[in-house]
Amino acid sequence: MPLALALPPPLQAGDQLTVIAPSGPLQERQRFQAGLELWKQQGYQVKVDERIYDQWGYLAGKDGDRRAQLLDALHDPQCRGILCVRGGYGTTRLLEPWIENLPWKQYPKWLIGFSDITGLLWSQFYQGVGGGIHAPVLTTLSQEPSWSLERLWAAVRGEPLAALQGKGWGGDRTEGILLPGNLTVATHLLGTPLQPDVQGVILAWEDVGEMPYRIDRMLTQWRMSGLLSQVRGMALGRFSQCEPPQGRLSLTIEEVLGDRLSDLSIPIVSDLPFGHDGENGALPVGASVYLDAETGRLEFI
C-alpha cells in the first residue's frame, strides 16, 4: 500500500488561496463569482490570477501561460491553497514536459478541483504529496447543497469527514488509500510516467458525457493493464449524461459497469454522491478509508 501522503497545514481563516485556470476557458462568469464568494465567506483571502480570463480555443490560454499560473501559485509563499476555475480539458498538456519536475514536494499546497483537474490531483499523488481534494471547482461550487459545502470546508481544515452512503454490490469490507478521479482522465494517464502505484488503493471514479461503449472501452483497458488486480476496492460515483442516443443499440451504463467490474472479486460500492451534475461530496486524495460492499458505506478513518 502507498505510504501516507505528506499533508500541507490545515487552512485557517485569513489564509490566501490562489485561483488558476489550468484547463478549459471560463464561460460561466456568474457561477464563478458565486463560487469565489463562498470561499471568501469562510474567511479566506482569494487571489485571482488575471490570466484565468484568457482563451485559446478549448483551453484557458496557451500551455505556457496556464503552466505559469500553477508555478506562480506554487512558488508564492503566501499561497496556502489552489482553487481551480473549471475542468474541461488541458491539465495533461501541462504535465507532459514536467513529470518529475513539478514541484509539489517543495511547495505542498491544498489543491481543489475535479473532472479534468484529476491530472493535477494524480500528479500530486504520484509524488507522495497530499492536499488534493476531489471536490467542486469554482464554477460548480454554488450549486452544491449545504452538506457538501460543509464537507469541503471541513476537509481543508483537516477535520474528520462523515461517511458517504452508496449502494453496496455485496461482499466484504476492505481498507485502503483513496484515489478519486475522472475515469477518462485517469485512463489517459495509463502507460505514461504519471501512471500511479495502485497497490492497496481504493479507486473512486466518476464520469460525464461518455456513451456506454466508451466507458466499456476504458474499463477494458484498465482490466488488460493488470492494474485492477492490485486495487483493494472500487467506489463509484455518478456517471452522468452517459445514456446512449435514443434508438441506438446499446447496453446501459449500469450494465456496462456490472459486466466489466463485478467479476474482479473486490468490494465495490456504487451510487456514491460525487461527480458531475449533482451532489459532489469532497474526497481527499490519499485518505485512509474503509469500503463496505455489504452496507454500501465509504468511511473515512
Side-chain angles (χ1 to χ4, degrees):
M1 183 183 298
L3 298 176
L5 304 186
L7 290 172
L11 290 181
Q12 300 178 14
D15 283 346
Q16 178 186 302
L17 307 177
T18 300
V19 176
I20 68 169
S23 301
L26 174 59
Q27 301 174 55
E28 299 151 319
R29 298 288 183 103
Q30 189 171 0
R31 287 189 178 184
F32 169 67
Q33 291 296 330
L36 287 180
E37 288 305 313
L38 285 170
W39 280 102
K40 291 177 181 179
Q41 288 169 15
Q42 294 301 304
Y44 301 116
Q45 303 297 316
V46 181
K47 177 182 177 182
V48 178
D49 189 309
E50 290 302 314
R51 290 169 291 189
I52 68 164
Y53 299 106
D54 292 348
Q55 179 179 353
W56 186 54
Y58 43 75
L59 300 167
K62 294 289 188 72
D63 291 349
D65 293 329
R66 289 180 294 112
R67 191 177 298 120
Q69 290 178 46
L70 177 56
L71 273 179
D72 288 349
L74 287 173
H75 287 126
D76 183 354
Q78 301 303 314
C79 175
R80 295 289 184 263
I82 298 172
L83 306 177
C84 296
V85 170
R86 58 159 297 193
Y89 168 71
T91 60
T92 50
R93 289 178 60 117
L94 302 187
L95 296 171
E96 182 183 359
W98 275 342
I99 308 300
E100 300 285 356
N101 296 326
L102 187 58
W104 292 119
K105 285 186 177 180
Q106 297 94 312
Y107 309 102
K109 315 270 185 179
W110 293 96
L111 172 67
I112 317 298
F114 80 116
S115 193
D116 190 62
I117 309 305
T118 296
L120 298 183
L121 294 172
W122 282 35
S123 70
Q124 274 189 322
F125 182 83
Y126 172 81
Q127 291 193 13
V129 177
I133 307 289
H134 184 278
V137 291
L138 285 166
T139 50
T140 66
L141 187 63
S142 65
Q143 307 304 301
E144 291 296 311
S146 58
W147 75 263
S148 177
L149 293 174
E150 292 302 322
R151 182 181 183 84
L152 176 54
W153 313 144
V156 296
R157 293 194 298 256
E159 298 172 359
L161 296 183
L164 294 179
Q165 183 67 49
K167 176 183 177 183
W169 288 24
D172 298 330
R173 174 183 170 97
T174 190
E175 177 184 352
I177 299 298
L178 189 67
L179 182 56
N182 175 269
L183 174 60
T184 298
V185 179
T187 301
H188 285 97
L189 294 177
L190 295 181
T192 75
L194 283 173
Q195 176 178 306
D197 176 10
V198 296
Q199 190 73 43
V201 156
I202 292 176
L203 289 171
W205 277 334
E206 61 83 34
D207 219 321
V208 62
E210 299 288 351
M211 284 192 287
Y213 81 88
R214 295 176 181 169
I215 298 293
D216 185 327
R217 183 166 58 197
M218 288 185 278
L219 293 177
T220 300
Q221 183 173 350
W222 276 88
R223 291 171 65 97
M224 294 180 68
S225 73
L227 293 174
L228 295 187
S229 65
Q230 302 175 25
V231 304
R232 291 278 180 86
M234 196 165 293
L236 303 175
R238 194 176 302 105
F239 285 74
S240 57
Q241 302 179 47
C242 290
E243 300 79 17
Q246 188 172 5
R248 179 168 180 168
L249 294 177
S250 176
L251 298 172
T252 66
I253 185 62
E254 292 79 13
E255 288 172 328
V256 168
L257 293 173
D259 177 75
R260 295 283 72 195
L261 301 177
S262 60
D263 64 345
L264 295 176
S265 300
I266 57 174
I268 297 177
V269 173
S270 62
D271 298 310
L272 288 160
F274 71 92
H276 292 75
D277 300 329
E279 300 170 319
N280 191 14
L283 300 173
V285 178
S288 295
V289 297
Y290 291 120
L291 185 71
D292 193 322
E294 188 62 40
T295 64
R297 285 170 65 84
L298 177 65
E299 303 173 11
F300 293 77
I301 302 173

mmCIF file with all atom_site columns, all heavy atoms in Angstrom, residues 119-138:
data_model
loop_
_atom_site.group_PDB
_atom_site.id
_atom_site.type_symbol
_atom_site.label_atom_id
_atom_site.label_alt_id
_atom_site.label_comp_id
_atom_site.label_asym_id
_atom_site.label_entity_id
_atom_site.label_seq_id
_atom_site.pdbx_PDB_ins_code
_atom_site.Cartn_x
_atom_site.Cartn_y
_atom_site.Cartn_z
_atom_site.occupancy
_atom_site.B_iso_or_equiv
_atom_site.pdbx_formal_charge
_atom_site.auth_seq_id
_atom_site.auth_comp_id
_atom_site.auth_asym_id
_atom_site.auth_atom_id
_atom_site.pdbx_PDB_model_num
ATOM 1   N N   . GLY A 1 119 ? -5.864  15.263 -13.489 1.00 0.00 ? 119 GLY A N   1
ATOM 2   C CA  . GLY A 1 119 ? -4.463  15.204 -13.905 1.00 0.00 ? 119 GLY A CA  1
ATOM 3   C C   . GLY A 1 119 ? -3.527  15.791 -12.866 1.00 0.00 ? 119 GLY A C   1
ATOM 4   O O   . GLY A 1 119 ? -2.470  15.231 -12.566 1.00 0.00 ? 119 GLY A O   1
ATOM 5   N N   . LEU A 1 120 ? -3.903  16.936 -12.284 1.00 0.00 ? 120 LEU A N   1
ATOM 6   C CA  . LEU A 1 120 ? -3.072  17.559 -11.254 1.00 0.00 ? 120 LEU A CA  1
ATOM 7   C C   . LEU A 1 120 ? -3.165  16.805 -9.937  1.00 0.00 ? 120 LEU A C   1
ATOM 8   O O   . LEU A 1 120 ? -2.159  16.617 -9.244  1.00 0.00 ? 120 LEU A O   1
ATOM 9   C CB  . LEU A 1 120 ? -3.494  19.016 -11.060 1.00 0.00 ? 120 LEU A CB  1
ATOM 10  C CG  . LEU A 1 120 ? -3.340  19.942 -12.266 1.00 0.00 ? 120 LEU A CG  1
ATOM 11  C CD1 . LEU A 1 120 ? -3.726  21.372 -11.891 1.00 0.00 ? 120 LEU A CD1 1
ATOM 12  C CD2 . LEU A 1 120 ? -1.910  19.904 -12.816 1.00 0.00 ? 120 LEU A CD2 1
ATOM 13  N N   . LEU A 1 121 ? -4.381  16.367 -9.566  1.00 0.00 ? 121 LEU A N   1
ATOM 14  C CA  . LEU A 1 121 ? -4.541  15.620 -8.316  1.00 0.00 ? 121 LEU A CA  1
ATOM 15  C C   . LEU A 1 121 ? -3.702  14.353 -8.324  1.00 0.00 ? 121 LEU A C   1
ATOM 16  O O   . LEU A 1 121 ? -3.045  14.009 -7.330  1.00 0.00 ? 121 LEU A O   1
ATOM 17  C CB  . LEU A 1 121 ? -6.017  15.269 -8.109  1.00 0.00 ? 121 LEU A CB  1
ATOM 18  C CG  . LEU A 1 121 ? -6.986  16.429 -7.883  1.00 0.00 ? 121 LEU A CG  1
ATOM 19  C CD1 . LEU A 1 121 ? -8.426  15.927 -7.899  1.00 0.00 ? 121 LEU A CD1 1
ATOM 20  C CD2 . LEU A 1 121 ? -6.695  17.153 -6.572  1.00 0.00 ? 121 LEU A CD2 1
ATOM 21  N N   . TRP A 1 122 ? -3.693  13.650 -9.455  1.00 0.00 ? 122 TRP A N   1
ATOM 22  C CA  . TRP A 1 122 ? -2.939  12.399 -9.525  1.00 0.00 ? 122 TRP A CA  1
ATOM 23  C C   . TRP A 1 122 ? -1.439  12.654 -9.640  1.00 0.00 ? 122 TRP A C   1
ATOM 24  O O   . TRP A 1 122 ? -0.639  11.814 -9.243  1.00 0.00 ? 122 TRP A O   1
ATOM 25  C CB  . TRP A 1 122 ? -3.457  11.538 -10.673 1.00 0.00 ? 122 TRP A CB  1
ATOM 26  C CG  . TRP A 1 122 ? -4.737  10.825 -10.338 1.00 0.00 ? 122 TRP A CG  1
ATOM 27  C CD1 . TRP A 1 122 ? -5.754  11.297 -9.552  1.00 0.00 ? 122 TRP A CD1 1
ATOM 28  C CD2 . TRP A 1 122 ? -5.138  9.522  -10.762 1.00 0.00 ? 122 TRP A CD2 1
ATOM 29  N NE1 . TRP A 1 122 ? -6.760  10.373 -9.463  1.00 0.00 ? 122 TRP A NE1 1
ATOM 30  C CE2 . TRP A 1 122 ? -6.420  9.270  -10.191 1.00 0.00 ? 122 TRP A CE2 1
ATOM 31  C CE3 . TRP A 1 122 ? -4.556  8.552  -11.564 1.00 0.00 ? 122 TRP A CE3 1
ATOM 32  C CZ2 . TRP A 1 122 ? -7.104  8.078  -10.412 1.00 0.00 ? 122 TRP A CZ2 1
ATOM 33  C CZ3 . TRP A 1 122 ? -5.245  7.363  -11.793 1.00 0.00 ? 122 TRP A CZ3 1
ATOM 34  C CH2 . TRP A 1 122 ? -6.497  7.132  -11.210 1.00 0.00 ? 122 TRP A CH2 1
ATOM 35  N N   . SER A 1 123 ? -1.051  13.819 -10.170 1.00 0.00 ? 123 SER A N   1
ATOM 36  C CA  . SER A 1 123 ? 0.383   14.135 -10.204 1.00 0.00 ? 123 SER A CA  1
ATOM 37  C C   . SER A 1 123 ? 0.905   14.394 -8.795  1.00 0.00 ? 123 SER A C   1
ATOM 38  O O   . SER A 1 123 ? 2.044   14.046 -8.468  1.00 0.00 ? 123 SER A O   1
ATOM 39  C CB  . SER A 1 123 ? 0.662   15.343 -11.108 1.00 0.00 ? 123 SER A CB  1
ATOM 40  O OG  . SER A 1 123 ? 0.185   16.555 -10.544 1.00 0.00 ? 123 SER A OG  1
ATOM 41  N N   . GLN A 1 124 ? 0.073   15.002 -7.938  1.00 0.00 ? 124 GLN A N   1
ATOM 42  C CA  . GLN A 1 124 ? 0.433   15.141 -6.524  1.00 0.00 ? 124 GLN A CA  1
ATOM 43  C C   . GLN A 1 124 ? 0.595   13.774 -5.883  1.00 0.00 ? 124 GLN A C   1
ATOM 44  O O   . GLN A 1 124 ? 1.578   13.504 -5.185  1.00 0.00 ? 124 GLN A O   1
ATOM 45  C CB  . GLN A 1 124 ? -0.656  15.899 -5.765  1.00 0.00 ? 124 GLN A CB  1
ATOM 46  C CG  . GLN A 1 124 ? -0.560  17.400 -5.777  1.00 0.00 ? 124 GLN A CG  1
ATOM 47  C CD  . GLN A 1 124 ? -1.577  17.999 -4.817  1.00 0.00 ? 124 GLN A CD  1
ATOM 48  O OE1 . GLN A 1 124 ? -2.711  17.521 -4.685  1.00 0.00 ? 124 GLN A OE1 1
ATOM 49  N NE2 . GLN A 1 124 ? -1.207  19.057 -4.141  1.00 0.00 ? 124 GLN A NE2 1
ATOM 50  N N   . PHE A 1 125 ? -0.378  12.908 -6.085  1.00 0.00 ? 125 PHE A N   1
ATOM 51  C CA  . PHE A 1 125 ? -0.357  11.566 -5.511  1.00 0.00 ? 125 PHE A CA  1
ATOM 52  C C   . PHE A 1 125 ? 0.881   10.797 -5.965  1.00 0.00 ? 125 PHE A C   1
ATOM 53  O O   . PHE A 1 125 ? 1.529   10.109 -5.171  1.00 0.00 ? 125 PHE A O   1
ATOM 54  C CB  . PHE A 1 125 ? -1.627  10.827 -5.915  1.00 0.00 ? 125 PHE A CB  1
ATOM 55  C CG  . PHE A 1 125 ? -1.744  9.438  -5.352  1.00 0.00 ? 125 PHE A CG  1
ATOM 56  C CD1 . PHE A 1 125 ? -2.224  9.231  -4.070  1.00 0.00 ? 125 PHE A CD1 1
ATOM 57  C CD2 . PHE A 1 125 ? -1.384  8.327  -6.110  1.00 0.00 ? 125 PHE A CD2 1
ATOM 58  C CE1 . PHE A 1 125 ? -2.342  7.946  -3.544  1.00 0.00 ? 125 PHE A CE1 1
ATOM 59  C CE2 . PHE A 1 125 ? -1.498  7.039  -5.600  1.00 0.00 ? 125 PHE A CE2 1
ATOM 60  C CZ  . PHE A 1 125 ? -1.973  6.853  -4.311  1.00 0.00 ? 125 PHE A CZ  1
ATOM 61  N N   . TYR A 1 126 ? 1.221   10.948 -7.246  1.00 0.00 ? 126 TYR A N   1
ATOM 62  C CA  . TYR A 1 126 ? 2.390   10.280 -7.817  1.00 0.00 ? 126 TYR A CA  1
ATOM 63  C C   . TYR A 1 126 ? 3.658   10.654 -7.063  1.00 0.00 ? 126 TYR A C   1
ATOM 64  O O   . TYR A 1 126 ? 4.556   9.832  -6.871  1.00 0.00 ? 126 TYR A O   1
ATOM 65  C CB  . TYR A 1 126 ? 2.508   10.654 -9.291  1.00 0.00 ? 126 TYR A CB  1
ATOM 66  C CG  . TYR A 1 126 ? 3.777   10.201 -9.972  1.00 0.00 ? 126 TYR A CG  1
ATOM 67  C CD1 . TYR A 1 126 ? 3.909   8.900  -10.442 1.00 0.00 ? 126 TYR A CD1 1
ATOM 68  C CD2 . TYR A 1 126 ? 4.839   11.086 -10.159 1.00 0.00 ? 126 TYR A CD2 1
ATOM 69  C CE1 . TYR A 1 126 ? 5.070   8.489  -11.072 1.00 0.00 ? 126 TYR A CE1 1
ATOM 70  C CE2 . TYR A 1 126 ? 6.001   10.674 -10.791 1.00 0.00 ? 126 TYR A CE2 1
ATOM 71  C CZ  . TYR A 1 126 ? 6.115   9.376  -11.239 1.00 0.00 ? 126 TYR A CZ  1
ATOM 72  O OH  . TYR A 1 126 ? 7.268   8.973  -11.858 1.00 0.00 ? 126 TYR A OH  1
ATOM 73  N N   . GLN A 1 127 ? 3.731   11.910 -6.612  1.00 0.00 ? 127 GLN A N   1
ATOM 74  C CA  . GLN A 1 127 ? 4.912   12.378 -5.887  1.00 0.00 ? 127 GLN A CA  1
ATOM 75  C C   . GLN A 1 127 ? 4.822   12.146 -4.381  1.00 0.00 ? 127 GLN A C   1
ATOM 76  O O   . GLN A 1 127 ? 5.723   12.538 -3.638  1.00 0.00 ? 127 GLN A O   1
ATOM 77  C CB  . GLN A 1 127 ? 5.145   13.864 -6.163  1.00 0.00 ? 127 GLN A CB  1
ATOM 78  C CG  . GLN A 1 127 ? 5.582   14.156 -7.589  1.00 0.00 ? 127 GLN A CG  1
ATOM 79  C CD  . GLN A 1 127 ? 6.111   15.579 -7.749  1.00 0.00 ? 127 GLN A CD  1
ATOM 80  O OE1 . GLN A 1 127 ? 6.379   16.286 -6.779  1.00 0.00 ? 127 GLN A OE1 1
ATOM 81  N NE2 . GLN A 1 127 ? 6.282   16.001 -8.982  1.00 0.00 ? 127 GLN A NE2 1
ATOM 82  N N   . GLY A 1 128 ? 3.742   11.518 -3.922  1.00 0.00 ? 128 GLY A N   1
ATOM 83  C CA  . GLY A 1 128 ? 3.599   11.246 -2.496  1.00 0.00 ? 128 GLY A CA  1
ATOM 84  C C   . GLY A 1 128 ? 3.211   12.461 -1.680  1.00 0.00 ? 128 GLY A C   1
ATOM 85  O O   . GLY A 1 128 ? 3.493   12.526 -0.480  1.00 0.00 ? 128 GLY A O   1
ATOM 86  N N   . VAL A 1 129 ? 2.555   13.428 -2.334  1.00 0.00 ? 129 VAL A N   1
ATOM 87  C CA  . VAL A 1 129 ? 2.160   14.663 -1.664  1.00 0.00 ? 129 VAL A CA  1
ATOM 88  C C   . VAL A 1 129 ? 0.644   14.698 -1.525  1.00 0.00 ? 129 VAL A C   1
ATOM 89  O O   . VAL A 1 129 ? -0.092  14.395 -2.473  1.00 0.00 ? 129 VAL A O   1
ATOM 90  C CB  . VAL A 1 129 ? 2.640   15.903 -2.444  1.00 0.00 ? 129 VAL A CB  1
ATOM 91  C CG1 . VAL A 1 129 ? 2.168   17.188 -1.785  1.00 0.00 ? 129 VAL A CG1 1
ATOM 92  C CG2 . VAL A 1 129 ? 4.158   15.885 -2.557  1.00 0.00 ? 129 VAL A CG2 1
ATOM 93  N N   . GLY A 1 130 ? 0.155   15.048 -0.338  1.00 0.00 ? 130 GLY A N   1
ATOM 94  C CA  . GLY A 1 130 ? -1.268  15.172 -0.102  1.00 0.00 ? 130 GLY A CA  1
ATOM 95  C C   . GLY A 1 130 ? -1.740  16.599 -0.275  1.00 0.00 ? 130 GLY A C   1
ATOM 96  O O   . GLY A 1 130 ? -0.994  17.479 -0.713  1.00 0.00 ? 130 GLY A O   1
ATOM 97  N N   . GLY A 1 131 ? -2.992  16.829 0.082   1.00 0.00 ? 131 GLY A N   1
ATOM 98  C CA  . GLY A 1 131 ? -3.574  18.156 -0.048  1.00 0.00 ? 131 GLY A CA  1
ATOM 99  C C   . GLY A 1 131 ? -4.514  18.270 -1.217  1.00 0.00 ? 131 GLY A C   1
ATOM 100 O O   . GLY A 1 131 ? -5.212  19.276 -1.359  1.00 0.00 ? 131 GLY A O   1
ATOM 101 N N   . GLY A 1 132 ? -4.562  17.248 -2.060  1.00 0.00 ? 132 GLY A N   1
ATOM 102 C CA  . GLY A 1 132 ? -5.508  17.259 -3.161  1.00 0.00 ? 132 GLY A CA  1
ATOM 103 C C   . GLY A 1 132 ? -6.892  16.876 -2.668  1.00 0.00 ? 132 GLY A C   1
ATOM 104 O O   . GLY A 1 132 ? -7.051  15.889 -1.952  1.00 0.00 ? 132 GLY A O   1
ATOM 105 N N   . ILE A 1 133 ? -7.899  17.651 -3.038  1.00 0.00 ? 133 ILE A N   1
ATOM 106 C CA  . ILE A 1 133 ? -9.277  17.359 -2.681  1.00 0.00 ? 133 ILE A CA  1
ATOM 107 C C   . ILE A 1 133 ? -10.094 17.260 -3.970  1.00 0.00 ? 133 ILE A C   1
ATOM 108 O O   . ILE A 1 133 ? -10.212 18.233 -4.720  1.00 0.00 ? 133 ILE A O   1
ATOM 109 C CB  . ILE A 1 133 ? -9.903  18.445 -1.782  1.00 0.00 ? 133 ILE A CB  1
ATOM 110 C CG1 . ILE A 1 133 ? -9.027  18.716 -0.550  1.00 0.00 ? 133 ILE A CG1 1
ATOM 111 C CG2 . ILE A 1 133 ? -11.308 18.029 -1.367  1.00 0.00 ? 133 ILE A CG2 1
ATOM 112 C CD1 . ILE A 1 133 ? -9.021  17.624 0.468   1.00 0.00 ? 133 ILE A CD1 1
ATOM 113 N N   . HIS A 1 134 ? -10.624 16.084 -4.241  1.00 0.00 ? 134 HIS A N   1
ATOM 114 C CA  . HIS A 1 134 ? -11.540 15.900 -5.367  1.00 0.00 ? 134 HIS A CA  1
ATOM 115 C C   . HIS A 1 134 ? -12.862 16.512 -4.939  1.00 0.00 ? 134 HIS A C   1
ATOM 116 O O   . HIS A 1 134 ? -13.604 15.942 -4.136  1.00 0.00 ? 134 HIS A O   1
ATOM 117 C CB  . HIS A 1 134 ? -11.674 14.405 -5.656  1.00 0.00 ? 134 HIS A CB  1
ATOM 118 C CG  . HIS A 1 134 ? -12.507 14.080 -6.861  1.00 0.00 ? 134 HIS A CG  1
ATOM 119 N ND1 . HIS A 1 134 ? -13.884 14.036 -6.837  1.00 0.00 ? 134 HIS A ND1 1
ATOM 120 C CD2 . HIS A 1 134 ? -12.145 13.772 -8.129  1.00 0.00 ? 134 HIS A CD2 1
ATOM 121 C CE1 . HIS A 1 134 ? -14.335 13.710 -8.027  1.00 0.00 ? 134 HIS A CE1 1
ATOM 122 N NE2 . HIS A 1 134 ? -13.303 13.542 -8.834  1.00 0.00 ? 134 HIS A NE2 1
ATOM 123 N N   . ALA A 1 135 ? -13.153 17.704 -5.448  1.00 0.00 ? 135 ALA A N   1
ATOM 124 C CA  . ALA A 1 135 ? -14.271 18.494 -4.929  1.00 0.00 ? 135 ALA A CA  1
ATOM 125 C C   . ALA A 1 135 ? -14.676 19.523 -5.979  1.00 0.00 ? 135 ALA A C   1
ATOM 126 O O   . ALA A 1 135 ? -13.975 19.714 -6.984  1.00 0.00 ? 135 ALA A O   1
ATOM 127 C CB  . ALA A 1 135 ? -13.853 19.190 -3.628  1.00 0.00 ? 135 ALA A CB  1
ATOM 128 N N   . PRO A 1 136 ? -15.780 20.222 -5.773  1.00 0.00 ? 136 PRO A N   1
ATOM 129 C CA  . PRO A 1 136 ? -16.279 21.157 -6.780  1.00 0.00 ? 136 PRO A CA  1
ATOM 130 C C   . PRO A 1 136 ? -15.265 22.234 -7.162  1.00 0.00 ? 136 PRO A C   1
ATOM 131 O O   . PRO A 1 136 ? -14.526 22.750 -6.314  1.00 0.00 ? 136 PRO A O   1
ATOM 132 C CB  . PRO A 1 136 ? -17.503 21.787 -6.102  1.00 0.00 ? 136 PRO A CB  1
ATOM 133 C CG  . PRO A 1 136 ? -17.966 20.746 -5.140  1.00 0.00 ? 136 PRO A CG  1
ATOM 134 C CD  . PRO A 1 136 ? -16.720 20.088 -4.637  1.00 0.00 ? 136 PRO A CD  1
ATOM 135 N N   . VAL A 1 137 ? -15.248 22.570 -8.446  1.00 0.00 ? 137 VAL A N   1
ATOM 136 C CA  . VAL A 1 137 ? -14.479 23.705 -8.940  1.00 0.00 ? 137 VAL A CA  1
ATOM 137 C C   . VAL A 1 137 ? -15.291 24.972 -8.697  1.00 0.00 ? 137 VAL A C   1
ATOM 138 O O   . VAL A 1 137 ? -16.452 24.929 -8.272  1.00 0.00 ? 137 VAL A O   1
ATOM 139 C CB  . VAL A 1 137 ? -14.156 23.540 -10.439 1.00 0.00 ? 137 VAL A CB  1
ATOM 140 C CG1 . VAL A 1 137 ? -13.162 22.421 -10.659 1.00 0.00 ? 137 VAL A CG1 1
ATOM 141 C CG2 . VAL A 1 137 ? -15.431 23.288 -11.247 1.00 0.00 ? 137 VAL A CG2 1
ATOM 142 N N   . LEU A 1 138 ? -14.699 26.120 -8.980  1.00 0.00 ? 138 LEU A N   1
ATOM 143 C CA  . LEU A 1 138 ? -15.359 27.383 -8.658  1.00 0.00 ? 138 LEU A CA  1
ATOM 144 C C   . LEU A 1 138 ? -16.654 27.601 -9.441  1.00 0.00 ? 138 LEU A C   1
ATOM 145 O O   . LEU A 1 138 ? -17.581 28.247 -8.950  1.00 0.00 ? 138 LEU A O   1
ATOM 146 C CB  . LEU A 1 138 ? -14.394 28.540 -8.896  1.00 0.00 ? 138 LEU A CB  1
ATOM 147 C CG  . LEU A 1 138 ? -13.322 28.682 -7.817  1.00 0.00 ? 138 LEU A CG  1
ATOM 148 C CD1 . LEU A 1 138 ? -12.205 29.603 -8.279  1.00 0.00 ? 138 LEU A CD1 1
ATOM 149 C CD2 . LEU A 1 138 ? -13.931 29.184 -6.511  1.00 0.00 ? 138 LEU A CD2 1
#
